[in-house]
Amino acid sequence: RVRPVRGRGGNMKFRALRIDAGSFSWGSEHCAMKVRILDVVYNATSNELVRTKTLTKNSIVQIDAQPFKQWYLKKYGVDLSKKAKKVAKEGEEKKEEEPE
């Protein structure tokens, strides 16, 4: 639900009472997308706002990263959801060789 609120000078602001999605950006990749908000993780003002899942300015939220993963796969051809098994195996072999 979004409710209009009158601001100074008769201008209208819009207050989101219940929201499940928002526009978030991946700063280092210069990519912004509309994604689902999963949870409010931290709020510096009060733990009460975290418990009630109230969204305020500067709240830390957990989002669904799937749209960003799909964008990254399309642009770079690298799947972020799969872990590199070969790199881990090579790292284990090197660690075993070092003590000898």
Side-chain angles (χ1 to χ4, degrees):
R1 280 174 51 191
V2 179
R3 177 183 293 166
V5 178
R6 185 185 181 279
R8 185 178 171 124
N11 296 321
M12 299 302 285
K13 292 182 178 181
F14 297 97
R15 179 170 293 152
L17 300 176
R18 221 172 256 270
I19 192 163
D20 64 340
S23 180
F24 291 90
S25 65
W26 187 354
S28 61
E29 294 293 331
H30 306 290
C31 171
M33 296 190 172
K34 185 176 180 181
V35 295
R36 279 188 324 130
I37 299 171
L38 300 177
D39 194 16
V40 177
V41 179
Y42 177 76
N43 195 319
T45 306
S46 172
N47 285 334
E48 178 75 12
L49 298 177
V50 176
R51 190 180 62 78
T52 58
K53 298 184 181 183
T54 304
L55 291 175
T56 60
K57 184 177 177 179
N58 214 14
S59 294
I60 308 295
V61 295
Q62 185 177 11
I63 62 170
D64 179 25
Q66 194 60 37
F68 290 109
K69 288 179 183 179
Q70 291 172 349
W71 175 85
Y72 198 87
L73 178 63
K74 183 178 175 185
K75 183 165 183 175
Y76 296 110
V78 178
D79 192 7
L80 294 177
S81 60
K82 295 187 179 179
K83 296 185 180 181
K85 294 179 183 177
K86 293 180 182 178
V87 176
K89 289 180 181 178
E90 291 174 4
E92 291 173 3
E93 291 173 3
K94 289 180 182 178
K95 289 180 183 178
E96 291 175 7
E97 293 174 6
E98 289 175 8
E100 291 178 11

